[in-house]
Every structure is written in C-alpha cells, then in structure tokens.
Amino acid sequence: MLPNGAGPSEEIGNTMKKLTKTPVIAIAGATGLVGSEMLNVLEERKVPCSELRLLASKDSAGEVYKFQGQEVEVEVLGDESFEGVDVALFGTSAELSSMYVPIAAKAGAVCIDNSSFFRMNPDVPLVVPEVNFGSIKPDDKIIANPNCSTIQLVPVLKVIDDIAGLKHVVVSTYQSVSGAGKAALDELWGQTLAVFNQQQFEQEAFQHQIAFNCIPQIDVFLENGFTKEEFKIINESRKILGLPLLRITATAVRVPVFYSHAESVFIETERAFDLDVVVKKLSKAPGVSVRSGHDEYPMQFEATGTDDIHVGRIRRDESVEHGLSMWIVADNVRKGAALNAVQIAERLIGG
Ligand SMILES: NC(=O)c1ccc[n+]([C@@H]2O[C@H](COP(=O)([O-])OP(=O)(O)OC[C@H]3O[C@@H](n4cnc5c(N)ncnc54)[C@H](OP(=O)(O)O)[C@@H]3O)[C@@H](O)[C@H]2O)c1
C-alpha cells in the first residue's frame, strides 16, 4: 500500500486528538461556490465551532453571513488571517491555496484544501473519508480534497475492488458548469438567455459556447492529448485507492447543466462477481445510494442538493469476461467538494 493510499477507513489517524472539540474554523474563499457551501454544510451538520472566520477578496469584504445564530463579516484573506485558527477550509484557486495554505499550516491550523495544488504531493494525504481516512498521519497539517469527479467515483471503485479486483476502468464524465466556479454559472445563464433573445453574448469561462452545447475539454490539454482534468481523475483515483498501476482512463466533458456531475463508468474486474452482491454491497456502502431497477436511474437535477453518491444502470457488461457498467451522479459542489471537506474536519474534531 502507498503511504497515502487506501487504508481501512476506520483506521483513524490521530491528528484529531490535538484538535479542540470546539475549534476556531476559517473558510478561505468563503464567498465562492465551494466556500459558501462549506458554510451551509457546517451550519446544517451543527459542526461545533467557537469562532468562524470568513475570508475572501477585498471585493467581498464587509459582506455579512449568518452562522449558528451569529452574524459573521467577511474579512480580506491575508497573511495574518490564520492566527489562532484550528481548522482552515480552503475554497480558493490553486494559486491562492499555494500561497495561503502553508501560511495557515505554519500558524498551526489543520488545512483542508479543495484546490488541485497539493493533491499529488506525496507528503499530502488525498482523502475521501469513506475510502481512506486512515491515510491521515498524526502530524499532517495539510489534507487535500480530491477533484469533484474523483470524489464521486472512488467510493464505488473501492467496493468493486474489494469484491472482484479492478482490472480496467473507463470513465466518461458529464460535468456541470458549477464545477468551474460561480462565474461559469453566470455564463451558462447569460448565454442561454442571449440565445433565446437572439443577442450577442460573452464567452469567458469556457473555450466555446456552453449554452445548448457540450464541450469535450475541461482544463488545459497535456502533450499526450488528454486534458488536465482527465489526468486528475486518473492520478487521484490511483492515489486514493492505493493502486498506482490501476489501468484507468477518462474523457471529461462539460455539459450545459448547472449543478451535479454524472459519469458513465465501465469496469473490468480481475475475478468473476455476482451482480446481486455488487448491488447489495454498493447499497450498503456509506454515502452511496443505489437505484437497482432497470428503468430507474439517478439524474443531475434531482441529485443536486443531496449528500449521496447516486448509482444506477448497474449492469453486467458482456463485452469482456468480467465486465460491469454503471451511471454515477453526485452534487459536485456538495459531496464533490464542500461536504467531503467538512466530513474530514468533523472526523478530525470528533476523534
Ligand atoms: N466548484 C466545484 O464544483 C469545485 C469542486 C471541487 C474543487 N473545486 C475547487 O475549489 C476551489 C474554489 O472553487 P469555486 O468553484 O468555489 O470558485 P469560485 O466560486 O470562483 O470562488 C472563488 C473564491 O475565491 C475568492 N477569491 C478570489 N480571488 C481572491 C483573492 N485575490 N483573495 C482572496 N480571495 C479570493 C473569491 O472571493 P470573492 O467572492 O471575493 O471574489 C471566492 O470566495 C477551486 O480551487 C476549485 O478548483 C471546485
């Protein structure tokens, strides 16, 4: 097993033993899609907190949010923002995280970062709590939250790996625009209205028109013709599952949907499996919800706002000796980012 690979999820690192039960929590990027959802999730789940600090750019300074009955004013993110903070949740760009996560860690905070910056750093655990919470070591100050498309994939892959061993995985994603941040939501909305009204429109967040269109490019291209997003799914899945040689490939597509990502997943296993056992074990997996009927399946509009990873269209695929195909849907801002980060924080605080 790799140092940061899958460990039993019950095998809890003891970082949390050093954390107070009522920590000071900071959210950097608090006004963004992920940051504001982390605030919602902390509130909904009644995460104990003695003080909350909301940090964003100077454009948002002074905005007021309600949290646990108190009004909290947004402050400008700066070098001094993390003094006295126990847990720092980051919903900032890779560039900002690269600058401020080390500052927060040095100030003593345990940092949970949603950006891609630290994910493949061998010294940083990349964590989906249901799969590899045990990969967090006692002295870890930086924990990376995986890419949204990876988070909804690996808990399912872990179940199949335990049943029959993963031999080959092929993923095609149908990713919503919210995965690209709040400006991208405005772009889909604005373009949709403009197309209806036969007006000119802006095109900034994506490489092409996104209204009424699917774009088979997310993030920049690598030299091998894959996109960076596709290699995030490949490399992060290998790291989280502790399977560095896993044969896995991905095609990532942006679709004109506001929230939630869907994935069509083909899995070839090493060993024979009983389809009923696959459905039963997936149904029992924490955070996974299964639709087992042939004619019922999860969809993006109804997964939005929910916590679970929804799986449907589970079927034996006879194109190979031991094959399985399925459809996986989850709210990318929630389980794909904010909820996953807060679940890590909760277990660190609660342990
Ligand atoms: N959206 C998703 O589904 C998703 C999923 C997984 C991971 N992620 C990752 O999570 C991170 C945040 O994504 P997002 O979608 O929430 O982006 P977003 O909606 O664009 O929010 C960005 C946040 O960063 C703040 N910010 C921007 N410039 C700043 C500056 N100079 N100083 C301080 N704060 C600044 C913004 O504050 P202002 O409002 O003041 O500008 C805002 O709070 C990214 O690294 C992204 O890749 C996103």
Side-chain angles (χ1 to χ4, degrees):
M1 191 174 78
L2 287 178
N4 289 312
S9 56
E10 315 78 52
E11 181 200 316
I12 299 168
N14 27 358
T15 310
M16 74 292 285
K17 294 208 173 93
K18 298 175 186 166
L19 283 179
T20 157
K21 299 275 179 199
T22 51
V24 176
I25 299 178
I27 304 178
T31 53
L33 288 185
V34 173
S36 55
E37 195 63 21
M38 289 196 286
L39 180 66
N40 292 339
V41 175
L42 287 170
E43 173 92 37
E44 284 168 24
R45 295 170 74 93
K46 300 186 171 55
V47 174
C49 171
S50 59
E51 180 193 334
L52 182 72
R53 256 175 241 176
L54 301 179
L55 308 164
S57 80
K58 58 178 171 23
D59 297 342
S60 309
E63 284 180 15
V64 174
Y65 288 77
K66 279 230 155 139
F67 179 70
Q68 296 182 348
Q70 309 280 327
E71 294 198 331
V72 186
E73 199 169 303
V74 176
E75 300 166 36
V76 180
L77 174 65
D79 291 355
E80 312 301 321
S81 298
F82 300 97
E83 293 307 318
V85 170
D86 298 299
V87 179
L89 302 170
F90 280 81
T92 45
S93 65
E95 192 187 353
L96 282 176
S97 289
S98 74
M99 291 161 60
Y100 287 102
V101 168
I103 291 172
K106 201 168 171 213
V110 173
C111 303
I112 303 169
D113 181 36
N114 278 284
S115 87
S116 59
F117 189 79
F118 295 97
R119 289 182 193 151
M120 294 311 296
N121 181 328
D123 296 327
V124 173
L126 180 65
V127 177
V128 178
E130 296 88 341
V131 179
N132 68 334
F133 188 75
S135 65
I136 301 174
K137 297 188 293 303
D139 294 328
D140 284 331
K141 282 288 185 197
I142 304 175
I143 298 160
N145 221 35
N147 177 274
C148 35
S149 300
T150 312
I151 290 180
Q152 69 184 70
L153 177 66
V154 287
V156 174
L157 292 185
K158 175 79 175 111
V159 170
I160 309 302
D161 191 41
D162 288 346
I163 295 171
L166 297 173
K167 184 173 180 187
H168 188 202
V169 180
V170 181
V171 186
S172 301
T173 72
Y174 303 68
Q175 297 182 223
S176 67
V177 296
S178 56
K182 58 185 176 180
L185 284 176
D186 294 341
E187 185 147 318
L188 174 57
W189 182 238
Q191 284 185 3
T192 304
L193 289 179
V195 170
F196 267 121
N197 293 315
Q198 298 181 316
Q199 291 168 341
Q200 297 291 317
F201 51 80
E202 298 294 320
Q203 184 189 302
E204 283 176 12
F206 302 107
Q207 300 81 3
H208 300 278
Q209 173 184 326
I210 185 64
F212 308 100
N213 190 30
C214 298
I215 305 173
Q217 178 187 354
I218 300 182
D219 211 329
V220 296
F221 278 103
L222 305 173
E223 282 199 349
N224 61 8
F226 280 78
T227 62
K228 211 168 160 189
E229 180 81 357
E230 289 157 354
F231 258 78
K232 284 177 193 165
I233 298 168
I234 292 168
N235 290 332
E236 292 176 19
S237 297
R238 287 174 174 160
K239 178 170 173 174
I240 296 163
L241 292 166
L243 298 171
L245 301 179
L246 177 65
R247 290 167 67 200
I248 173 168
T249 188
T251 302
V253 180
R254 188 75 70 192
V255 298
V257 165
F258 284 98
Y259 290 98
S260 294
H261 292 351
E263 296 175 348
S264 161
V265 181
F266 166 80
I267 303 166
E268 185 179 4
T269 61
E270 294 283 358
R271 303 181 294 279
F273 58 83
D274 180 330
L275 192 60
D276 290 341
V277 171
V278 167
V279 171
K280 202 167 145 202
K281 295 228 165 165
L282 278 174
S283 307
K284 288 191 171 162
V288 176
S289 135
V290 168
R291 305 248 182 122
S292 54
H294 288 299
D295 57 352
E296 45 162 18
Y297 35 78
M299 288 177 284
Q300 278 143 297
F301 83 95
E302 55 181 13
T304 299
T306 69
D307 287 352
D308 279 355
I309 296 163
H310 303 270
V311 189
R313 307 274 336 265
I314 305 169
R315 59 209 191 272
R316 187 175 291 283
D317 191 319
E318 293 183 342
S319 61
V320 292
E321 193 181 359
H322 308 306
L324 192 58
S325 285
M326 62 182 70
W327 177 249
I328 305 174
V329 184
D331 185 325
N332 54 294
V333 180
R334 212 168 160 87
K335 180 56 187 169
L339 174 64
N340 196 72
V342 171
Q343 285 172 325
I344 295 169
E346 275 178 336
R347 286 181 67 169
L348 293 174
I349 297 163

